[in-house]
Amino acid sequence: MVKVLFVCLGNICRSPTAEGVFRDLVEKKGLSSQIITDSAGTGDWHVGKAPDGRAQKAAKTRGYDLSDLRARQAKPKDFVEFDYVLAMDRSNYSNLQSICPAGYEDRLHMFLSFDPDSPEVEVPDPYFGGPAGFDYVLDLVEEASEGLMQDIQRDYQVS
Ligand code: 4NP
C-alpha cells in the first residue's frame, strides 16, 4: 500500500483539488486497492469544512467530485503514516519541515516537482482571487498528478 498526502494552507482549495484529481487517476488505473490518498492543511481555520465552493465548481467542470472531502490539519504523525507528503507551496513546505519527525524528511516534496515541465514551482493560492485561479490550479495539478503516478509506479512496482 502506498499512501499519498496533499498539503496546502487551509485544506479547502488546492490540496482537496489535488486529492480529487489524483484519486480520479488512481481509480481510472484500477489502483484504488494499492494507493490511498488524503489531504490536510497546515492551518486549522477550516477543519471539518467541505472544499471551497469555487474549488468544487471548477473541479466538477472537469469531472472531479470533491464534495465528500473534509478539511483537517496536518500533524507530525502524518510523516510516519504517508509515503509522500506533498506541499503545494514553499510556505507549506517550510511549515511541514518544522513538524516533520527526525528521519522522515525524505517523504516531503514540493508537489509540482513531479512535473518537470511545470511553468510553476508552487501551486498559487486561489483563495483571494477569481475563478481563473481555480482553473489554473487544476491545470497544474493534473500535470503533476501524471508525474506522481509514474514515480509511484516506478518506485513501488504498483501496476
Ligand atoms: P488553500 O487556500 O490553502 O488552497 O486551501 C486557502 C484557504 C483559506 C485561506 C487561505 C488559503 N484562509 O486564509 O482562510
Side-chain angles (χ1 to χ4, degrees):
M1 188 68 76
V2 185
K3 298 183 76 175
V4 182
L5 181 67
F6 300 94
V7 183
C8 61
L9 177 59
N11 193 208
I12 55 167
C13 298
R14 292 165 293 173
S15 61
T17 297
E19 181 183 359
V21 167
F22 190 67
R23 174 174 69 177
D24 185 72
L25 186 57
V26 169
E27 282 165 11
K28 282 193 175 123
K29 288 191 171 270
L31 299 173
S32 301
S33 64
Q34 296 176 76
I35 303 175
I36 284 182
T37 57
D38 195 5
S39 64
T42 57
D44 66 357
W45 312 284
H46 302 285
V47 168
K49 287 198 195 145
D52 187 289
R54 297 166 295 170
Q56 289 202 48
K57 191 175 169 195
K60 193 140 212 175
T61 306
R62 300 195 193 191
Y64 309 109
D65 183 1
L66 310 183
S67 63
D68 62 309
L69 304 177
R70 295 295 177 270
R72 73 168 178 89
Q73 189 172 27
K75 52 186 190 294
K77 209 177 155 205
D78 285 323
F79 282 95
V80 180
E81 236 175 79
F82 290 88
D83 302 285
Y84 292 81
V85 178
L86 304 174
M88 297 298 129
D89 66 28
R90 290 186 181 95
S91 166
N92 308 147
Y93 188 96
S94 151
N95 286 326
L96 286 164
Q97 264 182 327
S98 70
I99 64 161
C100 179
Y104 291 91
E105 295 83 358
D106 63 345
R107 298 186 164 194
L108 177 60
H109 310 269
M110 290 291 282
F111 178 40
L112 295 186
S113 71
F114 290 94
D115 175 12
D117 301 321
S118 183
E120 308 280 356
V121 173
E122 309 181 289
V123 182
D125 188 346
Y127 188 68
F128 295 104
F134 289 84
D135 254 342
Y136 190 46
V137 168
L138 280 158
D139 291 342
L140 297 170
V141 159
E142 283 181 335
E143 294 294 334
S145 291
E146 295 285 345
L148 173 62
M149 178 60 81
Q150 283 174 20
D151 194 86
I152 292 175
Q153 292 195 293
R154 186 182 59 240
D155 287 4
Y156 290 87
Q157 284 87 46
V158 171
S159 60

